[in-house]
Amino acid sequence: DVKVTQSSRYLVKRTGEKVFLECVQDMDHENMFWYRQDPGLGLRLIYFSYDVKMKEKGDIPEGYSVSREKKERFSLILESASTNQTSMYLCASSFGQPSYEQYFGPGTRLTVT
Amino acid sequence: AQKVTQAQTEISVVEKEDVTLDCVYETRDTTYYLFWYKQPPSGELVFLIRRNSFDEQNEISGRYSWNFQKSTSSFNFTITASQVVDSAVYFCALSEARSGYSTLTFGKGTMLLVSP
């Protein structure tokens, strides 16, 4: 079974804090993705990575950065958290070809106060 | 730009009713892939089905069936004899080539509530 794990299910941070969200997959997938999910807006792609140390901006990269130092791990970084970054964050991974489905982690519900 | 529209925001049915979730997509690609995912209350998205643009055969898996029609750019999902455990948010998604790599464009989802 494919396993995508995220470091926390729930996280509460203060405005201005630096926040790290970690994601690990165990299926040797080339691609990894970070989404945020908000009511009425569906899933929006923040960043994705197609290889170690490689990254591409998604639809809403502002205020975020990412790091992929190892193939199995993809980190999302909020340099200075703001209240409008309160959201559900979902990590996913897949093989490289477009025909392959993405496998999702359980999500991290981040609240910034 | 590619687009996926799920016009139904929320659907409520009573157990044992059949229900169809609509998905309409837009793309200029001739080769593309469509997906359906289920997100139960626990939050984790679960892959249900993949369909490529060259395969218009309908698919049935137990109580689930999918109808893909290129002529209307639709990929609808039907649950037969719905059960309470089917209550979830369902997302339709379209693969997209972005910077030479594949990403998914998701619809906004349809929340299905099945009551006993």
Side-chain angles (χ1 to χ4, degrees), chain A residues 43-92:
Chain A
L43 275 73
R44 293 180 292 168
L45 182 64
I46 304 171
Y47 267 98
F48 67 100
S49 169
Y50 50 88
D51 202 351
V52 176
K53 297 191 187 296
M54 306 305 288
K55 61 184 179 185
E56 288 284 339
K57 292 180 179 179
D59 298 313
I60 51 165
E62 297 78 20
Y64 303 94
S65 62
V66 290
S67 172
R68 193 165 180 203
E69 296 297 318
K70 293 185 178 181
K71 190 175 186 179
E72 67 271 19
R73 188 180 295 269
F74 192 35
S75 302
L76 179 69
I77 304 155
L78 288 65
E79 295 290 341
S80 177
S82 63
T83 54
N84 63 13
Q85 293 178 310
T86 292
S87 187
M88 170 71 89
Y89 289 89
L90 294 166
C91 175

Side-chain angles (χ1 to χ4, degrees), chain A residues 9 31 33 35 37 40-43 45 48 50 56-59 90 98-102 104-106, chain B residues 33 35 37 39 41-47 50 89 91 95 98-99 101-104 106-109:
Chain A
R9 286 303 304 267
N31 295 345
F33 307 84
Y35 297 88
Q37 182 179 11
L41 297 178
L43 275 73
L45 182 64
F48 67 100
Y50 50 88
E56 288 284 339
K57 292 180 179 179
D59 298 313
L90 294 166
S99 58
Y100 285 102
E101 64 272 25
Q102 293 182 17
F104 284 81
Chain B
Y33 298 86
F35 302 80
Y37 284 85
Q39 186 179 38
S42 59
E44 187 167 332
L45 270 79
V46 176
F47 164 74
R50 168 187 52 242
V89 181
F91 291 95
S95 67
R98 190 196 293 251
S99 303
Y101 300 95
S102 175
T103 63
L104 290 181
F106 285 84
K108 293 186 178 178

Side-chain angles (χ1 to χ4, degrees), chain B residues 74-102:
Chain B
S74 65
F75 186 41
N76 297 337
F77 173 30
T78 297
I79 302 175
T80 303
S82 59
Q83 299 177 1
V84 172
V85 293
D86 295 327
S87 295
V89 181
Y90 292 86
F91 291 95
C92 181
L94 170 68
S95 67
E96 175 178 18
R98 190 196 293 251
S99 303
Y101 300 95
S102 175

Side-chain angles (χ1 to χ4, degrees), chain B residues 13-21 36 38 40 48-49 58-67 76-88 90 112-115:
Chain B
V13 299
V14 177
E15 226 175 0
K16 295 193 176 63
E17 282 187 36
D18 298 346
V19 58
T20 295
L21 284 60
W36 275 95
K38 174 182 180 180
L48 295 177
I49 191 172
N58 291 336
E59 175 133 355
I60 298 174
S61 176
R63 296 183 296 105
Y64 294 172
S65 62
W66 290 268
N67 180 258
N76 297 337
F77 173 30
T78 297
I79 302 175
T80 303
S82 59
Q83 299 177 1
V84 172
V85 293
D86 295 327
S87 295
Y90 292 86
L112 174 65
L113 300 171
V114 182
S115 53

